């Protein structure tokens, strides 16, 4: 587990998308020995609720998350599972 990466992911998503709810998990331990893990990159899952996703299809929502994470998508993150909802969808 890499708490520094989780904190940076959380910080970037908070700054870019102003979520009302955000959960970031380091799932790298589930992928020990995987090529991405050997290269030093991690596997993460994100659940994010933000008004920024209103009126956007899932692909556009994921692109917003990728853009917020920037170079971390190539330097720190090997795999990212995303659940992106509006506050209305999250209920």
């Amino acid at each position: 587990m890499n708490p520094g990466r989780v904190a940076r992911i959380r910080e970037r998503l908070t700054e870019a998308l102003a979520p009302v709810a955000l959960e970031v998990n380091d799932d790298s331990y589930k992928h020990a020995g995987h090529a991405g893990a050997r290269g030093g990159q991690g596997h993460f899952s994100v659940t994010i609720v933000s008004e920024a996703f209103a009126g956007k299809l899932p692909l556009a929502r994921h692109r917003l998350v990728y853009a917020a994470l920037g170079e971390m998508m190539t330097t720190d993150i090997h795999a990212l599972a995303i659940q992106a909802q509006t506050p209305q969808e999250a209920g």
Side-chain angles (χ1 to χ4, degrees), residues 26-89:
D26 184 345
D27 301 323
S28 299
Y29 70 95
K30 296 178 186 177
H31 304 276
H34 183 268
R38 284 192 302 269
Q41 296 171 311
H43 292 70
F44 300 89
S45 57
V46 170
T47 301
I48 182 169
V49 179
S50 173
E51 277 296 337
F53 302 133
K56 293 184 174 44
L57 295 173
L59 182 59
R61 294 175 183 196
H62 287 207
R63 286 180 176 155
L64 285 174
V65 171
Y66 298 147
L69 295 174
E71 82 283 348
M72 287 188 77
M73 289 301 302
T74 57
T75 60
D76 294 88
I77 300 170
H78 176 72
L80 181 65
I82 302 169
Q83 181 179 355
Q85 299 178 311
T86 66
Q88 295 75 23
E89 293 166 340

Side-chain angles (χ1 to χ4, degrees), residues 6-35:
V6 169
R8 286 197 323 267
I9 291 169
R10 178 178 293 287
E11 180 181 308
R12 287 183 181 213
L13 293 175
T14 298
E15 185 176 299
L17 301 171
V20 296
L22 176 61
E23 182 179 335
V24 180
N25 294 304
D26 184 345
D27 301 323
S28 299
Y29 70 95
K30 296 178 186 177
H31 304 276
H34 183 268

